[in-house]
Amino acid sequence: MENNHQSRLCIEISSVSQAAGREIAQKLYATDLYVYVEVAGNQLIYLPENNEQYRIDPAKEQLVKVDLSAQAAPLQKVRQAVGEVAVEEKSADTPGRRRLHLANANRSIVSFDMDVETAEVEGVEQTALGKFEELQASLRFVLIPLKANEIVLSTTSALLLGGQAQESSSKVVEVKKLENAQQFDKYLSFSIANG
């Protein structure tokens, strides 16, 4: 591998999400070259130069493009029903952290509330995480306004739609800078599958 194709920085973010009675653990590794994710038995990689996310097929040494539009389509109607979302910043107890409350203005059709805690993480602005989050925005009800050096530490949200309440939460369990930044670089040499 050429030197310019080796990661120089890797930040591991371990989190747990809960929704619809299910708990999903996720490990995300943000490097300066890509974002590698292990979630629900899948290995995914986001390549910022293509602005695409791929499922990793280790047996074939291939990357298979993930069609996010298929996943995003059902959310579009809900996003339209939620409408405009206001963000209110609340006082945080810890330096380097922020607390936000997000709620929609038009509560006649849908009621949406979300509490968010963010934290500054040294070096995260040098990784591909910001670009990855932009791509992932299509899979979320709302966009959480983050600074370049921030990550979301926790969220608690409630969506009331047609008398049905949907609650979800997520929490970061651990954040650490890894000594071996190149441990997932091997996936950069995998071929991208056609179709």
Side-chain angles (χ1 to χ4, degrees), residues 3 18 23 36 39 48 55 57 80 106 110 165 189 192:
N3 197 29
Q18 294 183 323
E23 186 173 284
Y36 170 78
V39 62
R55 184 178 49 78
D57 185 339
Q80 287 174 340
N106 178 12
V110 173
S189 65
I192 295 175

Side-chain angles (χ1 to χ4, degrees), residues 56-71:
I56 298 170
D57 185 339
K60 294 182 180 177
E61 295 192 359
Q62 283 188 330
L63 305 179
V64 181
K65 183 180 168 187
V66 176
D67 182 7
L68 296 179
S69 62
Q71 297 174 43

Side-chain angles (χ1 to χ4, degrees), residues 3 15 35 47-48 61 77 82-84 86 88 108 123 142 153 170-171 189:
N3 197 29
S15 63
V35 175
L47 302 177
E61 295 192 359
K77 286 183 181 176
V82 167
E84 188 178 337
E88 176 189 353
S108 59
V142 295
L153 266 191
S170 68
K171 182 177 183 175
S189 65

Side-chain angles (χ1 to χ4, degrees), residues 43-139:
Q43 294 173 282
L44 304 166
I45 192 165
Y46 166 73
L47 302 177
E49 68 271 11
N50 301 347
N51 197 31
E52 297 283 358
Q53 183 172 314
Y54 301 91
R55 184 178 49 78
I56 298 170
D57 185 339
K60 294 182 180 177
E61 295 192 359
Q62 283 188 330
L63 305 179
V64 181
K65 183 180 168 187
V66 176
D67 182 7
L68 296 179
S69 62
Q71 297 174 43
L75 287 177
Q76 188 58 34
K77 286 183 181 176
V78 176
R79 201 175 292 117
Q80 287 174 340
V82 167
E84 188 178 337
V85 174
V87 179
E88 176 189 353
E89 190 160 342
K90 300 187 171 223
S91 62
D93 305 331
T94 311
R97 293 196 179 181
R98 290 191 306 150
R99 290 178 50 228
L100 306 171
H101 180 77
L102 289 75
N104 63 328
N106 178 12
R107 295 168 100 64
S108 59
I109 304 166
V110 173
S111 171
F112 176 78
D113 282 284
M114 176 184 262
D115 289 306
V116 178
E117 184 177 9
T118 69
E120 294 177 5
V121 175
E122 184 184 340
V124 80
E125 71 279 4
Q126 298 168 34
T127 71
L129 187 60
K131 289 265 190 204
F132 175 71
E133 290 294 339
E134 286 175 23
L135 183 72
Q136 293 292 305
S138 65
L139 304 177

